[in-house]
């Protein structure tokens, strides 16, 4: 017999508990438990059920996965070469970052090619979506719109039309009638996703799900949501700058270290083919404390400008600020500078910043941070056409980093004349590039190039 039971769920991570708790044992967040009623069905009769039999892997016929190109190169790249039929993709991101815009643009491209798409929105009216669509340009007739939040209605609509791609905007607004809790709760999100999964796999439809994110930046709702879907993509970026990054964190059909770069404009999201150029735009030349570094976003090297301002302090304790790079790393590198290069920074404030609002945690930026600080400290500019790459160890050694050849190629492509890299990463192939490559092994040796 079916029975109602009260269960408590953590709103942040979906931890389930039979009693209320102040702090979640799963994610350690406070005051996140909410009460939800779940219906447990009685014992099922298993005798007259269709029990599937295991088959040998050899006998399974595999067809090549069919991929639908979205014609948004950056999105295709992150998806691993296009949309896989029958796959479930979760897109998370901060409010207003442009999730709906990206998916609407994708729908436009798909519908123009004749792919039947259904855009289901539970949070916006058709008129609102039309307004956004008008901003993006004209749409074909293959794009259908449905503004509803009931899974039962959606299911019956989907089974009637022959859609190939479906967008759910957003999972937090969808509800299943059998579950009594309100939309966005853990039980609802889990139930809706499992129904969508059955739809996707059963009818071979690609389903895109938009998910809201929590304060910590992960998709709100149960963690199991990320396990249930085939791919998880995060759309991120600085609210003030127009640059948006699309980052794959899970992909059952492709690599996860691919990043798509977009620019938010009045006409929607525009792809950025050359992120380095965008990031180096407007760089001051001949100024002390400014260097160009190279960071890897996925497998793509991007050149960035790193700035440091070093000035005498007015306080007993000098101030250190890091924006875009790790604060502790900057402190560590300053200690290495004091100890290994004999540069006394104790009486100086230091501010380190990545221009353009990017955030990096690539150790290859270490040497660049050191160069910027020394250049700022000595008030001596570094050559504008030099790119600095390398990790710095505590003994002042310059350690090798990954994909240096690619980074040097990017620097050469962008017209830089010199590249300072770790000696251990030196490669004969770099001699054929139109750039002067200097390998350094110790900090003192590197600093002699300033
Ligand atoms: N006319 C415009 N010119 C430039 N940018 C615009 C314009 N209109 C909207 N935008 C940008 O689009 C963003 C909204 O995009 P969108 O609605 O796709 O975001 P979202 O991620 O779906 O948000 P939500 O979480 O609310 O659903 C705005 O934050 C703004 O940056
Ligand atoms: Mg939206």
């Amino acid at each position: 017999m079916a029975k109602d039971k009260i269960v408590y769920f953590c709103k942040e991570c979906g931890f389930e508990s039979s009693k209320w708790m102040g702090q979640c044992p799963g994610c350690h967040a406070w005051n996140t438990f909410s009460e939800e009623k779940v219906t447990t069905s009685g014992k099922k009769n298993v005798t007259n059920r269709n029990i599937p039999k295991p088959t040998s892997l050899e006998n399974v016929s595999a067809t090549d996965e069919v991929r639908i190109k979205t014609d948004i190169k950056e999105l295709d790249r992150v998806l691993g070469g296009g949309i896989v039929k029958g796959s479930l993709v979760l897109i998370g991101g901060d409010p207003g970052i442009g999730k709906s815009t990206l998916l609407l643009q994708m729908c436009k491209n798909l519908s123009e090619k004749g792919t039947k798409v259904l855009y289901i929105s539970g949070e916006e009216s058709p008129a609102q979506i039309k307004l956004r669509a008008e901003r993006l340009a004209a749409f074909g007739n293959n794009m259908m719109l449905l503004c509803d939040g009931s899974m039962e209605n959606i299911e019956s609509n989907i089974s009637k039309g022959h859609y190939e791609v479906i967008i759910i905007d957003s999972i937090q607004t969808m509800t299943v009638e059998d579950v009594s809790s309100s939309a966005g709760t853990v039980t609802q999100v889990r139930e809706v996703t499992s129904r969508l999964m059955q739809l996707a796999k059963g009818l071979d439809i690609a389903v895109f799900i938009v998910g809201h994110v929590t304060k910590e930046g992960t998709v709100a709702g149960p963690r199991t949501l990320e396990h249930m879907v085939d791919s998880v993509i995060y759309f991120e970026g600085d609210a003030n700058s127009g640059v948006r990054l699309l980052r794959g964190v899970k992909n059952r059909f492709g690599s996860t270290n691919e990043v798509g770069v977009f620019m938010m404009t009045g006409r929607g999201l525009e792809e950025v083919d050359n992120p380095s150029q965008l990031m180096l735009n407007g760089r001051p030349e001949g100024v002390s404390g400014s260097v160009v570094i190279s960071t890897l976003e996925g497998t793509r090297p991007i050149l960035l400008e790193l700035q440091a301002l070093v000035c005498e302090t007015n306080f007993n304790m000098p101030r250190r600020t890091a924006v875009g790079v790790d604060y502790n790393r900057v402190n560590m590198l300053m200690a290495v500078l004091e100890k290994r290069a004999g540069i006394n920074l104790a009486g100086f404030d230091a501010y380190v910043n990545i221009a353009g609002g990017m955030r990096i945690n690539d150790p290859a930026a270490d040497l660049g941070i050191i160069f910027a600080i020394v250049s700022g400290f000595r008030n001596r500019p570094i050559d504008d056409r030099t790119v600095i790459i390398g990790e710095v160890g505590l003994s002042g050694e310059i350690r090798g980093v990954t994909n240096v050849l690619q980074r040097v190629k990017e620097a050469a492509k962008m017209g830089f004349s010199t590249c300072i890299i770790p000696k251990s990463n030196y490669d004969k192939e770099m001699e054929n590039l139109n750039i002067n490559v200097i390998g350094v092994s110790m900090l003192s040796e590197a600093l002699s190039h300033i």
Side-chain angles (χ1 to χ4, degrees):
M1 220 183 58
K3 228 167 54 184
D4 275 352
K5 201 172 89 178
I6 298 289
V7 178
Y8 297 85
F9 286 105
C10 167
K11 279 182 281 187
E12 299 274 322
C13 72
F15 189 91
E16 187 179 328
S17 160
S18 57
K19 59 181 197 309
W20 188 88
M21 278 185 275
Q23 189 187 22
C24 170
C27 65
H28 305 292
W30 288 93
N31 281 330
T32 53
F33 272 86
S34 71
E35 185 182 299
E36 285 177 32
K37 205 190 279 170
V38 292
T39 312
T40 52
S41 50
K43 224 179 187 158
K44 283 188 190 128
N45 185 4
V46 285
T47 44
N48 50 12
R49 212 167 62 179
N50 250 346
I51 301 172
K53 293 223 164 47
T55 46
S56 130
L57 188 59
E58 290 242 318
N59 299 339
V60 179
S61 61
T63 44
D64 262 349
E65 60 199 21
V66 185
R67 287 194 189 254
I68 311 169
K69 291 261 188 248
T70 64
D71 289 347
I72 303 178
K73 262 194 296 171
E74 304 289 306
L75 178 61
D76 280 339
R77 188 207 311 276
V78 175
L79 289 171
I83 306 169
V84 177
K85 279 199 171 173
S87 70
L88 212 61
V89 181
L90 176 66
I91 296 191
D94 286 331
I97 203 82
K99 301 177 292 292
S100 310
T101 311
L102 177 72
L103 291 173
L104 207 58
Q105 268 177 270
M106 183 186 88
C107 290
K108 171 181 173 295
N109 286 1
L110 290 175
S111 61
E112 274 172 0
K113 288 203 301 187
T115 309
K116 272 196 93 180
V117 263
L118 176 62
Y119 187 103
I120 303 166
S121 178
E123 41 190 34
E124 285 171 304
S125 66
Q128 264 180 307
I129 297 170
K130 177 76 185 169
L131 265 181
R132 181 182 297 122
E134 274 176 357
R135 205 154 58 79
L136 301 178
F139 276 69
N141 326 331
N142 280 318
M143 153 107 192
M144 305 301 275
L145 196 61
L146 176 67
C147 290
D148 199 348
S150 153
M151 258 327 272
E152 282 73 17
N153 297 351
I154 290 170
E155 274 170 338
S156 84
N157 268 307
I158 291 175
S159 56
K160 273 183 234 149
H162 297 279
Y163 300 105
E164 290 166 84
V165 177
I166 291 171
I167 319 288
I168 304 284
D169 190 1
S170 64
I171 187 88
Q172 275 85 5
T173 53
M174 301 293 149
T175 48
V176 174
E177 272 163 27
D178 299 348
V179 178
S180 53
S181 47
S182 56
T185 54
V186 174
T187 21
Q188 281 288 8
V189 168
R190 202 183 304 179
E191 189 58 30
V192 171
T193 314
S194 85
R195 295 255 192 122
L196 286 172
M197 188 160 68
Q198 280 162 15
L199 270 179
K201 307 290 169 197
L203 300 173
D204 216 19
I205 303 172
V207 180
F208 282 77
I209 303 172
V210 173
H212 294 167
V213 295
T214 63
K215 279 202 299 289
E216 278 71 38
T218 53
V219 176
R223 217 52 243 267
T224 44
L225 189 62
E226 295 196 5
H227 290 291
M228 285 161 90
V229 297
D230 295 311
S231 312
V232 181
I233 295 175
Y234 281 101
F235 203 35
E236 46 188 52
D238 196 31
N240 301 318
S241 78
V243 183
R244 302 280 188 270
L245 291 181
L246 195 63
R247 201 187 291 275
V249 293
K250 166 181 168 178
N251 194 349
R252 286 188 182 145
F253 310 106
S255 140
T256 49
N257 48 19
E258 289 297 352
V259 174
V261 185
F262 294 91
M263 189 80 192
M264 180 59 100
T265 67
R267 292 197 337 277
L269 290 158
E270 273 171 22
E271 296 174 55
V272 177
D273 290 329
N274 193 342
S276 299
Q277 188 167 14
L278 177 78
M279 299 314 290
L280 294 178
N281 234 346
R283 179 167 64 103
E285 294 191 349
V287 179
S288 68
S290 160
V291 298
V292 177
I293 58 167
S294 164
T295 181
L296 275 189
E297 281 297 346
T299 51
R300 251 206 292 185
I302 298 180
L303 300 180
L304 297 172
E305 185 198 352
L306 186 132
Q307 300 176 323
L309 186 68
V310 181
C311 46
E312 253 175 274
T313 180
N314 295 318
F315 305 101
N316 292 338
M317 225 172 70
R319 248 187 101 127
R320 268 91 213 255
T321 307
V323 181
V325 285
D326 184 24
Y327 171 78
N328 291 324
R329 203 146 191 115
V330 171
N331 274 334
M332 187 188 86
L333 292 170
M334 291 183 77
V336 172
L337 261 181
E338 295 214 6
K339 183 84 180 170
R340 307 289 171 198
I343 298 175
N344 190 3
L345 295 163
F348 293 85
D349 291 339
Y351 304 88
V352 178
N353 175 38
I354 299 270
M358 279 272 280
R359 229 166 260 118
I360 60 168
N361 55 5
D362 186 353
D366 286 1
L367 194 58
I369 296 175
I370 287 208
F371 266 56
I373 291 173
V374 173
S375 157
F377 175 71
R378 293 190 185 150
N379 214 358
R380 205 181 293 167
I382 290 174
D383 176 31
D384 296 322
R385 290 163 35 94
T386 302
V387 177
I388 293 150
I389 301 163
E391 180 180 349
V392 178
L394 291 187
S395 1
E397 81 277 19
I398 312 297
R399 311 173 71 102
V401 292
T402 52
N403 292 16
V404 174
L405 185 61
Q406 253 179 306
R407 300 183 200 236
V408 173
K409 276 184 185 160
E410 174 78 5
K413 197 180 91 191
M414 292 298 296
F416 284 86
S417 63
T418 314
C419 215
I420 298 181
I421 63 163
K423 198 168 230 157
S424 58
N425 284 134
Y426 194 84
D427 191 323
K428 269 262 181 290
E429 213 178 306
M430 292 173 188
E431 286 164 17
N432 306 329
L433 302 171
N434 194 12
I435 190 166
N436 178 24
V437 180
I438 305 172
V440 290
S441 55
M442 290 308 287
L443 188 57
S444 48
E445 187 190 343
L447 290 181
S448 68
H449 292 285
I450 292 191

